[in-house]
Amino acid sequence: MRTERPVTNPLTAVRNLGILAHVDAGKTTVTERFLYLTGSTHKRGEVHDGTTVTDFDPQERDRGITIFAAAVSCAWNGHRVNLIDTPGHVDFADEVERSLRVLDGAIAVFDAVAGVEPQSESVWRQADRYGVPRIAFVNKLDRAGADLDTAVASIRARLHPAPLVVQLPIGTEAGFTGVVDLLRLRALVWPDTDGPVAEVPVPDGLLEEARRRRRLLEEAVAELHPGALEEFCAESTLSAGTLSAALRDLTRTGDGVVVLCGSAYRNRGIEPLLDAVVAYLPSPSDVPPVRGTYDGGEQERAADPQVPLCALAFKVSAAGTGRLTYLRIYSGTIERGDTVWDPGTRRTERIGRILRVQADRHERLERAVAGDIVAVAGLKSVRAGSTLCAPDAPLVLEPPAVADPVVSVAVEARRGTDTDRLASALARLAEEDPSLVVRTDAETGQTVLSGMGELHLEVAVEKIRLATGVEVDVGRPRVAYRETVVRGVSGFVFRHVKQDGGAGQFAHVVLDVEPLDGSGSGFGFEFRSAVVGGRVPQEYVRSVEAGCRDALAEGPVGGFPVTGLRVTLTDGATHVKDSSEQAFRTAGRLGLREALRACETVLLEPVAEVAVTVPEDAVGGVLGDLAARRGRVTGSTTRTGSALVTATVPLAELFGYATRLRSRTQGRGTFTARPTGYARVPGGVAMAR
């Protein structure tokens, strides 16, 4: 378990992983200990001191939380570990999404006292979507109330994997000094002062318990792994080698999650965690070939430096000193000066510098190969989610999903002379963070900034002030309402006729409009054609669909986007001279607008799942406040001296809740919120017209 000097690693000796967790579970501290133990830094960074490597942004250090995903690289026992420390706050979930898209594995960090928290569950589901193998690290075992078994039970109950615990803590709470390695039945003990881990025999008082837990681990692995089951049936036990190989297979398939424990702040449990990263998480050569499309065909690219280049841009840093694009290279090789192709914009770009990233510091490289995560300079128009490939072998990879913004504020420069500078800063922000959307309100002329939450927008505005010196006035946040259909119409006839000299326009359509899922609570849009006899040619059908999609931008209730409906074109008519694709697109747009006015529609508002942790004596006041905010309490559990209340609350009612909660609990209450979807606004029904 010692570090070695970095070497030129083959593909099998590379690990690309992320650190995932709820806010304040210890992600950044784990990352800092990795860097220190591998010799990448010579002093341990501390979040509370503002001395961490990955939380280098001034706002991160002031707030004590991770806001921007930061990439670092280190070497451990001959392996190159490329690591991304991701945010834990729900407002920055899009940073996690983009990171998970390019990672091969992840460490999920859990608080040994709190277990699975709301954002822990969210990032776990995000990793599920991308099929990212994970190992779990139960952190903060030195805290009062810490319990490994309770934390593991919450993992099993809320995340539904098969947790495979490979360690037994030595000591509890403040007396936590080390762990028992159940695979090799050895004890690993860390000194109170800074020093290396010591390997000693298992204490006599823990030997029987360690053997019992080792047996439970063998039985759990044998149930999940055919090879291990064969040996278990033959030998009634599993060797350390078989157990380790089976754990590696189960981690990669997602059938099991290896669980380790420790205290990152006390430097206990980090070396075994690094060993587990190397032993269980996959290398780029272990994951399936990346799949992409081009011109309607699907292709695969293996993780091989010798095949044509294929890389995905997952982050853009558009700082005033220069533009950096972060790439995950899936296949091929890039060198300084190479020309690459962006099939999205159909433009060529030239690679300037290639940089190995260490948070805000960079090391120049001459080349990067498949499996690398690097930053490159010189790319002018590449955006997060863009694919870069060899010009003679084009391929488009699926970009990371981008969440729809849920909160908006109006922004304007305090001084009129700063308007242009503000516009440039906003454009740069939207370029760096696709979950931030900037638009101009057509009615008021205001510039509107939309994001994932109050904190997200607050950070964005502060970033403008720090980077440009522009003072910004911010209007009250607004939430992103939607409209949907709860009762549709059938056979709605719309005729578009326009004749003002020259070629005219004629389109006749008959539309059925209905809720998408039959209940008026669905999301999305579906268009179908039931026209028979060629009464509306196919090219005009596509134009009607395009027009209907245009009409979804503004609904009849409050001018909000419309979702959750199905439109069927049932009939129509054409004119031999005056019908055209443009005429039918116009008919689709205007016809659906008129049809929506005849439907029964309702207003939807975004809702969030809120988890409030308060002292027991403040529960009554918190419940009353949640009820006043139209909250629906979904659960309440009591911990030592505190209570956890969960509720579903409309997002519009959460503005200013942090201040209100602090005042009600004398500063002792905390809460987290994560968007969970949309719900009907009470009284938000528009009568059929």
Side-chain angles (χ1 to χ4, degrees):
M1 301 200 322
R2 292 179 183 169
T3 58
E4 298 177 359
R5 288 181 299 174
V7 296
T8 303
N9 294 317
L11 206 58
T12 55
V14 175
R15 299 291 184 273
N16 293 317
L17 66 138
I19 306 277
L20 313 173
H22 185 88
V23 65
D24 203 34
K27 300 179 306 302
T28 300
T29 303
V30 169
T31 305
E32 293 297 321
R33 298 306 183 259
F34 277 6
L35 296 176
Y36 179 72
L37 284 172
T38 57
S40 298
T41 59
H42 303 292
K43 182 181 179 182
R44 292 188 300 269
E46 304 293 355
V47 173
H48 57 273
D49 291 336
T51 57
T52 58
V53 172
T54 52
D55 286 353
F56 58 86
D57 187 272
Q59 290 201 74
E60 293 179 310
R61 293 186 171 179
D62 288 346
R63 299 172 187 272
I65 61 172
T66 300
I67 295 173
F68 309 107
V72 292
S73 186
C74 58
W76 179 256
N77 288 347
H79 290 73
R80 168 65 60 186
V81 179
N82 297 317
L83 178 66
I84 297 180
D85 179 20
T86 65
H89 197 285
V90 65
D91 280 19
F92 308 103
D94 203 64
E95 287 272 331
V96 182
E97 189 86 18
R98 294 197 300 274
S99 299
L100 283 170
R101 174 63 181 84
V102 299
L103 294 173
D104 300 325
I107 300 171
V109 180
F110 300 95
D111 187 314
V113 178
V116 176
E117 298 174 271
Q119 189 61 9
S120 310
E121 192 169 353
S122 295
V123 296
W124 190 273
R125 302 301 175 215
Q126 286 177 294
D128 280 343
R129 286 200 299 271
Y130 290 108
V132 176
R134 279 142 282 170
I135 58 177
F137 181 66
V138 179
N139 192 25
K140 302 187 178 183
L141 274 178
D142 59 320
R143 286 184 59 195
D147 185 84
L148 175 62
D149 292 338
T150 301
V152 171
S154 72
I155 292 173
R156 180 183 290 108
R158 296 192 61 177
L159 305 181
H160 310 296
L164 304 170
V165 184
V166 298
Q167 292 177 341
L168 170 66
I170 300 175
T172 59
E173 299 181 351
F176 170 69
T177 58
V179 298
V180 175
D181 177 2
L182 298 180
L183 270 71
R184 296 170 178 83
L185 286 179
R186 58 177 181 170
L188 304 173
V189 179
W190 286 267
D192 290 334
T193 58
D194 191 16
V197 60
E199 183 177 329
V200 299
V202 179
D204 292 339
L206 285 178
L207 188 57
E208 190 62 32
E209 177 65 9
R211 286 172 174 163
R212 185 184 74 83
R213 293 191 179 229
R214 162 65 185 251
R215 183 68 178 183
L216 292 174
L217 176 63
E218 291 177 353
E219 292 173 353
V221 170
E223 286 182 6
L224 299 169
H225 192 279
L229 177 62
E230 185 177 340
E231 180 175 318
F232 188 78
C233 291
E235 307 292 338
S236 295
T237 187
L238 294 177
S239 66
T242 300
L243 198 53
S244 180
L247 290 172
R248 182 178 174 87
D249 291 342
L250 293 172
T251 299
R252 292 179 179 183
T253 60
D255 294 324
V257 177
V258 174
V259 180
L260 300 97
C261 60
S263 169
Y265 181 68
R266 302 291 180 192
N267 310 305
R268 294 167 187 169
I270 302 302
E271 294 97 332
L273 182 58
L274 277 165
D275 288 339
V277 165
V278 170
Y280 305 128
L281 292 179
S283 71
S285 61
D286 295 323
V287 299
V290 67
R291 303 175 72 89
T293 59
Y294 193 75
D295 283 344
E298 191 170 296
Q299 303 176 33
E300 287 186 351
R301 295 275 170 86
D304 184 348
Q306 306 304 319
V307 302
L309 172 70
C310 183
L312 185 70
F314 66 95
K315 182 179 175 68
V316 173
S317 175
T321 55
R323 190 175 190 274
L324 290 180
T325 305
Y326 293 76
L327 301 179
R328 163 64 194 270
I329 303 175
Y330 286 99
S331 66
T333 301
I334 57 169
E335 297 184 359
R336 183 178 179 180
D338 280 356
T339 297
V340 296
W341 173 253
D342 180 350
T345 61
R346 308 189 73 83
R347 293 180 57 176
T348 57
E349 299 267 7
R350 185 177 179 275
I351 301 293
R353 292 170 295 153
I354 303 175
L355 306 169
R356 176 85 66 199
V357 181
Q358 200 75 349
D360 60 339
R361 295 179 287 115
H362 310 108
E363 171 193 347
R364 291 200 181 194
L365 302 174
E366 289 302 315
R367 64 201 297 264
V369 301
D372 275 336
I373 293 178
V374 295
V376 298
L379 305 181
K380 297 179 181 178
S381 59
V382 173
R383 299 290 184 265
S386 296
T387 303
L388 296 179
C389 54
D392 57 349
L395 189 68
V396 179
L397 302 179
E398 180 184 357
V402 179
D404 291 330
V406 295
V407 178
S408 301
V409 292
V411 294
E412 64 178 351
R414 189 166 297 171
R415 296 189 300 268
T417 54
D418 288 337
T419 300
D420 290 342
R421 293 173 63 196
L422 175 61
S424 298
L426 288 170
R428 185 181 299 158
L429 273 180
E431 183 180 352
E432 290 183 335
D433 186 351
S435 62
L436 285 171
V437 176
V438 181
R439 63 180 177 85
T440 301
D441 189 291
E443 294 184 3
T444 65
Q446 290 179 307
T447 299
V448 177
L449 178 64
S450 304
M452 302 305 298
E454 277 187 285
L455 180 60
H456 190 204
L457 297 178
E458 184 183 321
V459 166
V461 171
E462 182 66 9
K463 189 173 183 180
I464 291 175
R465 189 187 67 79
L466 292 174
T468 66
V470 175
E471 293 297 329
V472 180
D473 288 329
V474 179
R476 176 175 166 77
R478 297 183 303 172
V479 300
Y481 291 98
R482 296 287 186 269
E483 298 179 25
T484 193
V485 172
V486 293
R487 190 181 66 205
V489 294
S490 298
F492 188 87
V493 178
F494 185 83
R495 182 186 295 262
H496 173 62
V497 181
K498 186 177 181 181
Q499 193 74 47
D500 53 4
Q505 292 188 26
F506 178 90
H508 177 90
V509 295
V510 181
L511 303 174
D512 287 352
V513 182
E514 59 185 329
L516 187 59
D517 65 352
S519 66
S521 61
F523 262 71
F525 171 70
E526 184 179 306
F527 181 87
R528 297 191 299 198
S529 173
V531 177
V532 296
R535 291 178 59 81
V536 180
Q538 189 59 39
E539 61 269 25
Y540 293 166
V541 171
R542 289 192 293 267
S543 298
V544 174
E545 179 180 359
C548 289
R549 292 185 181 277
D550 294 341
L552 299 178
E554 294 183 8
V557 177
F560 300 106
V562 184
T563 189
L565 73 159
R566 178 186 294 111
V567 175
T568 305
L569 177 64
T570 60
D571 200 0
T574 62
H575 187 276
V576 65
K577 291 183 178 180
D578 293 342
S579 290
S580 64
E581 292 183 8
Q582 182 58 46
F584 272 89
R585 181 165 186 159
T586 302
R589 183 180 75 254
L590 300 180
L592 182 54
R593 283 183 181 176
E594 292 293 331
L596 287 173
R597 292 190 178 97
C599 295
E600 184 179 306
T601 55
V602 295
L603 202 61
L604 302 176
E605 63 180 344
V607 295
E609 180 186 69
V610 178
V612 188
T613 302
V614 295
E616 286 184 281
D617 58 5
V619 171
V622 168
L623 291 175
D625 191 35
L626 289 173
R629 294 173 185 271
R630 296 191 285 126
R632 181 173 58 85
V633 175
T634 56
S636 179
T637 57
T638 302
R639 298 172 178 167
T640 305
S642 65
L644 174 66
V645 178
T646 56
T648 301
V649 185
L651 194 63
E653 301 289 350
L654 288 177
F655 295 133
Y657 182 59
T659 302
R660 180 70 171 171
L661 180 65
R662 282 194 294 266
S663 67
R664 280 187 171 273
T665 61
Q666 291 77 49
R668 295 177 294 166
T670 61
F671 86 101
T672 60
R674 64 184 181 99
T676 56
Y678 280 75
R680 294 188 189 183
V681 176
V685 178
M687 301 304 295
R689 304 178 186 181

